[in-house]
Amino acid sequence: MADLLSLFPAGSTFAEDRTLVIGGCRADNLAEEFGTPVLVVAEHALRARAREYVDTLAARWANSRVVFASKAFPCTAVQRVMVEEGLGLDVAGGGEILTAIKAGIDPGLIVLHGNAKSDEEIAIAVEHGVGLVVVDNSDDVDRLEATVPEGRTQDVLVRIIPGVTADTHAHVLTGHEGSKFGLAPADAAPLINRIEQSTRLRMQGLHVHVGSQILDVEPFAASVEPVARLGEFPIYDLGGGLGARYTWADNPPAISEYLDSLIGAAREHLPAEAQIIIEPGRSMVCESAATIYRVTTVKRGKVTFVAVDGGMGDNLEVALFEQRFEAGIVGRFEGPDHETVTVVGRHCESGDVLVDGVDLSAPAVGDLLAVPATGAYCFTMSNNYNGNRRIPVVFARDGQSRLVVRRETWDDLTARDVD
Ligand SMILES: Cc1ncc(COP(=O)(O)O)c(C=O)c1O
């Protein structure tokens, strides 16, 4: 069996009895204190990744900013870590603006996205003084012009479809021709003209985002030239999308390799004095967290199903785009009697599979099962399917654990009922 520990957050170790330790905290103690399933974030690993992004970009392009794509882990405590580490926040909608502000961000460092922004979201953005609104379509411009008060201006970027198709799942591609996000260059040109004439909007630059979980660097570099052809602007936001390591088969480019390629293309095509923004989400948070479940049933037959007390209620990545995860029994990652099993969740869907085909050491009811690389988009898309109570988030650091989001209560499930 490959080295499962290496997929857990940086700094994870084994205790003397081979129990998994994350952020200095034993997985069995975390399960005991906070219950299962529990999403555990290794705080040092998260902060180190944020710093690596900032430093690596600054070393290549001095006039640059890293904004964390909040959608990857839209939890106030995670946004607060990013703010404390000096990053801005990319938000997709009014709710993420409000959690970003609660996290302590200077609103001027927020970048707002959305292909279908509502009047209310535009109003929230303008009221709070969001730094950049990324215009996706001409309706965004109509709404902004109707909302920005006279005498004020709102800085905007225009989102461009670069026509680049990356090698990733179709559900997370965004920069291909025909994408619902942004405008093809020919359609963007007249809108840019219109914004340049506006007394309420200030045309600051262009935005591009190719997609997510991209494991090679070429598509990022290829997205720069189509944007550059639209003219010279003060800001170019080159999006996020770098892939993360979920399994030992994954070999994502290092941040330095990714930025060598992206900034190499920027040097070739963009004005030297422009500001460059990047918006990493998945690759910022994915590998800094893991989920700990309790095994509730082991059903042996043609296929051995190991069922746990979570599933697609806390991890939709598998069902949405067939993301592969790995898993191990806490205390027995390298234990005896390995068998190949399918780890499934507790939800009433045959698609509720966490890991299809993984070697576990003698799985039994009551064992703890740990799944690494659950920091990206798992919290985001957690849901109440089958009356699931959304799971807690715990920060682990230097042997201390801290609850940052509590588990939903049974009462929470009916809290919105008005009749
Ligand atoms: C506009 C935009 N920026 C950044 C991101 C972050 O992408 P990722 O999480 O793959 O880094 C996304 C996510 O799809 C996005 O839509």
Side-chain angles (χ1 to χ4, degrees):
M1 196 181 179
D3 180 11
L4 182 57
L5 187 63
S6 73
L7 294 175
F8 283 85
S12 298
T13 55
F14 289 132
E16 246 171 49
D17 64 357
R18 311 306 285 165
T19 294
L20 174 67
V21 174
I22 302 172
C25 300
R26 289 174 60 100
D28 52 356
N29 290 347
L30 292 168
E32 172 84 10
E33 185 172 355
F34 302 104
T36 54
V38 57
L39 181 54
V40 181
V41 176
E43 191 177 339
H44 281 315
L46 183 64
R47 286 182 187 274
R49 188 74 172 166
R51 284 197 285 270
E52 184 185 354
Y53 253 116
V54 171
D55 295 346
T56 313
L57 179 60
R60 284 160 180 73
W61 193 282
N63 183 12
S64 61
R65 292 207 286 136
V66 180
V67 300
F68 168 57
S70 303
K71 63 171 76 75
F73 202 157
C75 153
T76 317
V78 170
Q79 289 180 313
R80 190 176 302 120
V81 163
M82 298 299 159
V83 172
E84 286 169 0
E85 295 299 338
L87 283 77
L89 293 172
D90 143 357
V91 300
E96 288 179 5
I97 296 177
L98 298 176
T99 57
I101 287 169
K102 190 170 173 216
I105 187 96
D106 165 357
L109 299 179
I110 296 179
V111 180
L112 172 67
H113 287 285
N115 70 304
K117 303 178 195 74
S118 66
D119 292 348
E120 187 184 17
E121 287 172 319
I122 293 282
I124 293 173
V126 171
E127 181 194 333
H128 288 280
V130 159
L132 288 170
V133 174
V134 181
V135 165
D136 177 274
N137 51 62
S138 61
D139 298 311
D140 275 352
V141 176
D142 293 345
R143 288 194 170 93
L144 281 164
E145 292 208 305
T147 310
V148 176
E150 191 156 0
R152 257 187 67 188
T153 52
Q154 174 64 53
D155 286 349
V156 301
L157 306 180
V158 173
R159 180 161 180 168
I160 307 300
I161 300 174
V164 170
T165 303
D167 184 14
T168 186
H169 196 283
H171 293 176
V172 289
L173 264 184
T174 56
H176 55 294
E177 271 172 36
S179 169
K180 76 166 184 171
F181 300 100
L183 294 168
D187 300 324
L191 192 66
I192 292 170
N193 246 320
R194 182 180 158 197
I195 295 169
E196 283 171 339
Q197 308 307 315
S198 169
T199 53
R200 289 183 160 81
L201 305 184
R202 204 150 61 123
M203 181 63 205
Q204 286 287 55
L206 303 175
H207 170 276
V208 71
H209 173 69
V210 177
S212 198
Q213 189 55 9
I214 296 169
L215 294 168
D216 53 305
V217 297
E218 288 78 21
F220 300 114
S223 70
V224 176
E225 199 254 349
V227 170
R229 268 193 256 134
L230 282 159
E232 297 205 348
F233 298 94
I235 302 177
Y236 295 85
D237 181 337
L238 303 178
L242 179 63
R245 184 167 179 248
Y246 287 85
T247 80
W248 30 78
D250 292 337
N251 187 19
I255 292 174
S256 55
E257 201 184 327
Y258 154 64
L259 289 178
D260 278 347
S261 175
L262 186 72
I263 299 303
R267 277 203 202 94
E268 203 177 319
H269 300 292
L270 300 181
E273 64 284 1
Q275 181 180 83
I276 288 186
I277 298 177
I278 59 167
E279 307 172 328
R282 185 183 302 278
S283 60
M284 181 73 86
V285 289
C286 183
E287 296 165 40
S288 300
T291 306
I292 301 166
Y293 300 92
R294 181 81 63 184
V295 174
T296 50
T297 310
V298 179
K299 200 190 285 179
R300 290 196 165 78
K302 204 163 160 209
V303 174
T304 295
F305 289 107
V306 173
V308 296
D309 53 0
M312 63 195 302
D314 58 80
N315 185 344
L316 262 185
E317 291 277 276
V318 188
L320 271 184
F321 77 107
E322 300 172 82
Q323 181 55 57
R324 162 88 195 176
F325 286 81
E326 303 294 347
I329 299 290
V330 172
R332 297 198 302 281
F333 279 13
E334 308 129 334
D337 304 326
H338 271 266
E339 54 185 312
T340 303
V341 308
T342 297
V343 178
V344 295
R346 56 171 289 274
H347 300 275
C348 299
E349 293 284 337
S350 292
D352 180 24
V353 174
L354 277 172
V355 195
D356 188 5
V358 62
D359 285 354
L360 296 182
S361 163
V365 172
D367 282 343
L368 293 173
L369 180 113
V371 175
T374 54
Y377 297 97
C378 290
F379 174 86
T380 316
M381 290 186 270
S382 61
N383 59 77
N384 296 122
Y385 187 22
N386 297 139
N388 178 54
R389 290 172 301 161
R390 283 177 291 179
I391 73 173
V393 181
V394 170
F395 275 23
R397 170 182 173 158
D398 299 330
Q400 304 290 320
S401 55
R402 181 164 61 95
L403 185 66
V404 299
V405 179
R406 66 164 172 79
R407 187 182 309 282
E408 278 184 317
T409 62
W410 298 118
D411 284 345
D412 284 334
L413 297 180
T414 51
R416 293 190 303 137
D417 293 355
V418 290
D419 192 9

